[in-house]
Amino acid sequence: MNIILNTDSYKTSHYLQYPQGTEYVSSYIESRGGAYENGVFFGLQMFLDAYLCHPITAADIEEASQIYSAHGVPFNKQGWDYILEKCDGYLPVEIEALPEGTVVPAHTALVQIKNTDPNCAWLTSYLETALLRAIWYPMTVASKSFACKQVIAQYLEKTADSLEGLPFKLHDFGARGAASNEAAGIGGLAHLVNFLGTDTVASLVYGKRYYHCDIAGFSIPAAEHSTITAWGKDGEVDAYKNMLTQFAKPGSLVAVVSDSYDLYHAIDKLWGEELKQKVMDSGATLVVRPDSGDPVEIVSTTIERLMDKFGYEINTKGYKVLPSCVRVIQGDGISLDSIKAILSNLEAKEISADNLAFGMGAELLQKVNRDTMKFAMKASAVCIEGRWQDVYKNPVTDPNKASKKGRLAVVKGEQWQTVRLDELDSRTNQLQPVFRNGKVLQRTTLDEIRARVSG
């Protein structure tokens, strides 16, 4: 998309609003709190590669000029012509950022941007709309996924013999609920910072394209209601048998939605009696998927009924575990809160969390917004006629919206701190230049990001 049009309308008039002699504007992005104690910084590299590494053209300027003129707002054609002619079309800005995959508390500066050409001081804030969106969305999804992982890990540590299965305990079902294929790719990849399971194909494309990962996530054959109900109610057992015949090979997994008609009949009679031996002899793992009802009740009841039919063992922690030939995935009604409630209920019933995986759909990729983690981008310093001065807001009506002052740095000690750059002293600034004048200066891989998150 034309980056000149990737903004809010009111931004187009701001080049006329700065004080005379303004040469540089420095702004930063932070989360000001919200839903999660810690945030996972992720997604900037995708935006840099997709949008800022490409020069603007005369055609871009002309398109923007026509649209903004008809739209009724001023257009800085002279400024954009200057970027085209003097900067070869590359935006004269420098962006500093934390390493992607860094886990930080709220109120930590994540990104800092300033123009590099004194004739383009207006450009820093012009990019707010695009740059802030490029940060808040993937970081919010990554942070939600991270929070889910912490909860699941907590219950596995209490009720399972190992954390070996953790990377596959939350599966992304969110593609169809995302606002666009681009959102699915970006958000889906943000989830894969923490986990390895996904049905969002776009996330695999984005992982390979932007983070040098050949295959970012994995999936298994799975049924949906149409492939089961196409056999008719009287043919339900044949539909299940076909799933086993087609996909249940030694060492494999196959997921089968089992509540198209009567979940309990499917468990007790079809899986637990008619097809029990076929399941056990297959060498595969059947993953039974309920898809309706109250998730807390349905999960425990499903597992208990499967245990009645297939048996169970007691692990070293004293919790019940189904035999390896059968497991459960709950993909309906899953959120961070319901994950906590389901696992708490299982623990109370002395059932290991190892029996279960979760799938999360629109709750993961779509039920987030900029206010989930209260993201903001604010100017914190301007340079006027060679002299830097602080810029900040501090509204008496909402002190929570007070912004930081000055050119910033981030230091890591016992706690993360955002400090003034002129007070950094000998400490290492965690904000490092990643982009300057059309060039990405540092690149990171998905493997490196995952290591930082896990570290």
Side-chain angles (χ1 to χ4, degrees):
M1 178 182 176
N2 184 346
I3 192 69
I4 308 174
L5 295 169
N6 194 351
T7 193
D8 291 307
S9 300
Y10 80 137
K11 293 287 188 182
T12 64
S13 66
H14 290 177
Y15 74 103
L16 298 170
Q17 299 180 31
Y18 289 100
Q20 188 72 26
T22 301
E23 297 168 322
Y24 300 97
V25 174
S26 181
S27 297
Y28 71 97
I29 293 174
E30 69 173 342
S31 161
R32 297 188 293 204
Y36 310 112
E37 182 178 352
N38 291 296
V40 179
F41 178 60
F42 177 71
L44 177 60
Q45 189 166 287
M46 287 186 279
F47 175 72
L48 299 180
D49 278 339
Y51 290 92
L52 295 194
C53 287
H54 306 284
I56 63 166
T57 65
D60 291 333
I61 297 172
E62 181 58 28
E63 179 187 33
S65 179
Q66 292 178 7
I67 288 175
Y68 288 135
S69 176
H71 187 44
V73 294
F75 177 59
N76 188 9
K77 187 175 187 302
Q78 181 180 359
W80 288 105
D81 284 339
Y82 177 88
I83 292 173
L84 179 62
E85 295 165 9
K86 300 297 183 181
C87 306
D88 297 323
Y90 292 100
L91 303 191
V93 294
E94 178 181 272
I95 298 174
E96 299 171 300
L98 298 178
E100 295 198 32
T102 302
V103 181
V104 292
H107 303 290
T108 303
L110 307 163
V111 172
Q112 187 166 232
I113 177 174
K114 69 178 179 68
N115 56 294
T116 59
D117 189 308
N119 293 302
C120 298
W122 53 271
L123 183 59
T124 298
S125 290
Y126 192 95
L127 294 174
E128 176 186 356
T129 306
L131 182 59
L132 184 60
R133 184 172 53 223
I135 300 302
W136 81 253
Y137 175 63
M139 185 166 171
T140 303
V141 175
S143 301
K144 174 181 281 192
S145 175
F146 179 78
C148 292
K149 188 175 185 179
Q150 301 303 106
V151 170
I152 296 169
Q154 173 189 342
Y155 280 94
L156 285 174
E157 287 172 349
K158 286 197 277 187
T159 71
D161 285 342
S162 78
L163 297 180
E164 184 179 349
L166 180 58
F168 291 96
K169 287 298 185 182
L170 183 62
H171 201 89
D172 173 14
F173 288 164
R176 72 189 63 185
S180 66
N181 191 60
E182 183 181 34
I186 293 171
L189 189 59
H191 167 70
L192 292 176
V193 165
N194 303 294
F195 290 93
L196 294 175
T198 186
D199 262 33
T200 300
V201 177
S203 66
L204 310 181
V205 177
Y206 278 53
K208 187 171 186 177
R209 181 179 299 166
Y210 298 117
Y211 289 96
H212 314 289
C213 184
D214 287 339
I215 292 294
F218 304 89
S219 189
I220 62 172
E224 69 174 24
H225 289 292
S226 75
T227 64
I228 300 301
T229 58
W231 295 72
K233 187 173 182 180
D234 292 340
E236 184 179 12
V237 70
D238 296 317
Y240 294 161
K241 187 182 300 182
N242 179 65
M243 290 296 295
L244 297 177
T245 300
Q246 297 292 344
F247 305 113
K249 314 301 179 186
S252 67
L253 293 91
V254 55
V256 185
V257 62
S258 301
D259 72 328
S260 294
Y261 305 107
D262 183 341
L263 174 66
Y264 303 136
H265 173 75
I267 294 171
D268 296 343
K269 298 299 181 183
L270 305 185
W271 292 124
E273 293 180 3
E274 290 190 50
L275 298 174
K276 177 179 177 180
Q277 198 61 45
K278 188 173 179 67
V279 170
M280 297 175 66
D281 291 344
S282 70
T285 298
L286 165 69
V287 183
V288 174
R289 178 164 73 92
D291 195 43
S292 55
D294 175 69
V296 176
E297 177 189 345
I298 289 298
V299 168
S300 61
T301 301
T302 297
I303 293 173
E304 287 172 328
R305 284 178 179 256
L306 287 169
M307 287 179 173
D308 287 343
K309 293 299 180 178
F310 288 88
Y312 61 87
E313 296 178 348
I314 304 294
N315 65 18
T316 61
K317 301 286 182 66
Y319 290 83
K320 291 176 276 191
V321 184
L322 284 161
S324 60
C325 65
V326 62
R327 289 290 185 269
V328 174
I329 186 168
Q330 177 68 25
D332 180 57
I334 295 303
S335 66
L336 177 59
D337 288 340
S338 68
I339 288 173
K340 292 176 183 177
I342 289 166
L343 293 177
S344 176
N345 185 49
L346 291 184
E347 182 190 16
K349 293 175 178 287
E350 299 182 336
I351 297 172
S352 173
D354 214 18
N355 293 290
L356 176 68
F358 298 97
M360 191 182 292
E363 177 72 29
L364 179 64
L365 300 190
Q366 189 68 22
K367 290 187 181 180
V368 296
N369 57 53
R370 185 168 69 91
D371 290 332
T372 303
M373 297 179 68
K374 300 181 181 178
F375 275 93
M377 176 171 157
K378 297 300 175 186
S380 59
V382 296
C383 181
I384 301 176
E385 296 181 347
R387 182 179 178 181
W388 281 99
Q389 62 187 54
D390 292 350
V391 174
Y392 66 97
K393 61 179 287 189
N394 190 15
V396 296
T397 49
D398 190 351
N400 292 322
K401 289 190 173 183
S403 63
K404 294 175 168 56
K405 304 175 183 179
R407 290 278 292 151
L408 303 175
V410 174
V411 295
K412 181 183 180 184
E414 292 184 4
Q415 297 179 334
W416 288 88
Q417 285 184 290
T418 302
V419 300
R420 296 177 65 97
L421 183 61
D422 54 20
E423 296 176 355
L424 181 62
D425 300 323
S426 61
R427 295 174 291 181
T428 300
N429 187 2
Q430 300 296 319
L431 290 174
Q432 293 294 308
V434 295
F435 178 87
R436 186 182 298 118
N437 302 342
K439 304 290 184 183
V440 175
L441 306 178
Q442 294 188 44
R443 292 188 180 276
T444 190
T445 67
L446 188 60
D447 286 343
E448 291 168 339
I449 291 167
R450 284 169 166 166
R452 288 191 193 105
V453 174
S454 300

